[in-house]
């Protein structure tokens, strides 16, 4: 029986990699995710669930470079390339289609039930005017399932200091999706290799975070994130500060459409953010009313995933030190940045 289960698992993984053109696949034990809030546990979402299939597709280096061009060269058109092919359109559409296709395949090929889980920016369903980025709080963003945490349980990576999931192969530059199924599969153990993030030795994400959402590892109390037996230290994340930058609530983060300062602080209250979105114009250049890709420095410049070989050595980026220098020299409003950090 164990041999048959292992064989089916490998067949399924091979099918997902080849047919759905995924870069990463892992199988998580639902028991490792059973401590999620009530209503968000695997068994709540699919009675009789036995396995969680997690898939990941990397962002192309060229699309990631588009985000770097905006930051390093003030090349605004490049941000559109990053938005469309790294954060907003293509990855979400493709992952949505392939996740559904995987659920169909599981039911057709093995006669078991499979439930695809919503994920990512375009799959949130939160009501109201506060568009919570899913990476800040998936449940507050309206998602039923924490796909990123499932990726950790499936052994595809571990949380870094920034609270993003880091993979050994691609760092945080991966998008994940998941399918719950009643098919019994062989579980992958959570990642147990060398720690991928050493915030004390690196700290790039905290140094480049323009609003202080990611704290200095030497000056804050760490939190812990992960699954049982595979937790790592992460920053005491300030979600509202992240929203200010990622959703461009201040003019220095704006894209092609200029905005005024909708908040006067980098650490606003929920009420201040709600008021800011009530004033914010609906974006017609994106599938979302309020796009959430205007910062992403922690994703773009994280060294994990062979960053230097992919971006520094190839000339695609002049490196995080250039970004840090631009921040010091007025890339942000100095008085506010200095007070906050």
């Amino acid at each position: 029986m164990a041999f048959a289960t292992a064989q089916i698992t490998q067949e399924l993984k091979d099918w997902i990699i080849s047919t759905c053109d995924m870069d990463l696949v892992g199988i998580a034990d639902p028991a490792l995710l059973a401590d999620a809030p009530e209503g968000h546990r695997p068994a709540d979402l699919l009675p009789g669930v036995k396995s969680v299939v997690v898939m990941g597709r990397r962002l192309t280096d060229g699309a990631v470079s588009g985000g770097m061009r905006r930051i390093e060269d003030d090349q605004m058109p490049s941000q559109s390339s990053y938005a469309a092919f790294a954060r907003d359109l293509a990855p979400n559409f493709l992952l949505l289609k392939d996740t559904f296709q995987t659920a169909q395949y599981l039911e057709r090929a093995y006669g078991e039930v499979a439930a695809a889980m919503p994920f990512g920016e375009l799959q949130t369903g939160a009501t109201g005017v506060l568009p919570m980025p899913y990476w800040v709080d998936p449940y507050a963003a309206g998602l039923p399932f924490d796909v990123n945490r499932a990726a950790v349980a499936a052994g595809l990576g571990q949380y870094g200091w920034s609270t993003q999931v880091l993979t050994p192969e691609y760092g945080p530059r991966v998008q994940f999706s998941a399918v719950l199924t009643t098919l019994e599969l062989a579980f992958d153990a959570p990642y147990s290799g060398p720690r991928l993030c050493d915030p004390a030795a690196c700290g790039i994400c905290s140094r480049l975070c323009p609003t202080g959402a990611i704290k200095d590892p030497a000056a804050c109390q760490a939190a812990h994130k992960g699954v049982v037996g595979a937790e790592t230290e992460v920053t005491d994340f300030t979600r509202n500060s992240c929203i200010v930058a990622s959703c461009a609530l201040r003019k220095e983060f704006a894209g092609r459409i200029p905005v005024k300062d909708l908040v006067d602080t980098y650490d606003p209250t929920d009420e201040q953010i709600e008021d800011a979105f009530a004033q914010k114009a609906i974006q017609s250049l994106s599938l979302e009313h309020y796009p959430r890709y205007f910062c992403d420095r922690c994703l773009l410049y994280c060294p994990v995933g062979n960053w230097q070989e992919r971006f520094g050595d190839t000339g695609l980026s002049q490196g995080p030190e250039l970004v840090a220098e631009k921040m010091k020299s007025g890339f942000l409003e100095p008085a506010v940045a200095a007070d906050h950090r």
Side-chain angles (χ1 to χ4, degrees):
M1 179 65 179
F3 174 78
T5 300
Q7 185 176 30
I8 290 173
T9 302
Q10 191 57 55
E11 289 175 354
L12 176 63
K13 287 183 175 182
D14 291 342
W15 182 88
I16 290 172
I17 292 291
S18 61
T19 303
C20 297
D21 197 27
M22 293 291 178
D23 294 294
L24 301 170
V25 183
I27 310 298
D29 181 352
L32 292 178
L33 304 169
D35 57 350
E38 185 176 358
H40 298 279
R41 298 167 297 205
D44 297 331
L45 298 163
L46 180 64
V49 62
K50 293 181 180 177
S51 309
V52 181
V53 182
V54 186
M55 299 158 283
R57 180 179 283 126
R58 76 176 182 93
L59 306 181
T60 65
D61 293 348
V64 170
S65 176
M68 295 170 172
R69 300 282 65 72
R70 167 68 179 96
I71 294 173
E72 296 177 25
D73 306 328
D74 295 329
Q75 184 67 260
M76 189 67 73
S78 296
Q79 189 178 54
S80 296
S81 174
Y82 176 72
F85 295 103
R87 272 301 199 187
D88 196 346
L89 302 176
N92 285 279
F93 279 139
L94 289 172
L95 212 55
L96 180 67
K97 176 187 77 69
D98 292 328
T99 303
F100 177 58
Q101 185 177 5
T102 298
Q104 286 185 309
Y105 177 77
L106 281 162
E107 296 198 346
R108 290 171 176 169
Y110 301 106
E112 296 287 348
V113 180
M117 292 291 100
F119 61 90
E121 293 93 327
L122 301 182
Q123 303 305 308
T124 56
T127 58
V129 295
L130 179 59
M132 185 71 67
Y134 79 94
W135 63 88
V136 171
D137 186 337
Y139 307 129
L143 292 174
F145 187 69
D146 190 341
V147 171
N148 286 346
R149 189 163 182 251
V152 173
L156 299 182
Q158 62 181 192
Y159 285 108
W161 182 252
S162 67
T163 75
Q164 296 193 74
V165 175
L166 310 182
T167 65
E169 302 89 347
Y170 312 110
R173 294 166 287 277
V174 177
Q175 287 189 319
F176 295 107
S177 65
V179 176
L180 310 184
T181 180
T182 56
L183 178 65
E184 184 175 345
L185 296 168
F187 303 138
D188 292 296
Y191 176 82
S192 60
R195 184 173 178 184
L196 299 175
C197 174
D198 183 351
C202 177
I204 285 175
C205 58
S206 61
R207 288 192 288 119
L208 297 189
C209 181
T211 61
I214 303 172
K215 310 294 192 305
D216 180 347
C220 79
Q221 182 73 36
H224 292 84
K225 202 168 184 179
V227 295
V228 174
E231 286 194 326
T232 52
E233 288 188 339
V234 300
T235 185
D236 182 14
F237 197 73
T238 308
R239 71 178 194 180
N240 287 1
S241 297
C242 180
I243 293 172
V244 170
S246 62
C247 294
L249 299 187
R250 291 182 59 84
K251 60 187 177 184
E252 67 259 32
F253 303 112
R256 286 195 288 166
I257 298 178
V259 299
K260 63 179 181 179
D261 287 341
L262 299 173
V263 293
D264 59 4
T265 174
Y266 286 157
D267 189 16
T269 64
D270 286 353
E271 291 74 21
Q272 288 172 318
I273 288 185
E274 186 171 337
D275 181 64
F277 279 108
Q279 303 176 55
K280 190 174 177 65
I282 290 177
Q283 171 66 271
S284 61
L285 299 177
S286 168
L287 287 183
E288 290 194 291
H289 292 324
Y290 308 110
R292 309 169 198 189
Y293 49 73
F294 293 104
C295 182
D296 278 357
R297 291 164 176 81
C298 55
L299 179 149
L300 294 171
Y301 293 99
C302 175
V304 180
N306 301 315
W307 187 95
Q308 184 61 38
E309 292 85 350
R310 290 176 181 275
F311 303 105
D313 293 346
T314 60
L316 291 177
S317 173
Q318 298 179 60
E321 296 307 324
L322 171 72
V323 180
E325 192 59 36
K326 290 188 72 172
M327 291 172 66
K328 291 178 182 177
S329 62
F331 184 58
L332 302 180
E333 296 179 11
V336 181
D339 289 345
H340 187 78
R341 297 185 68 79

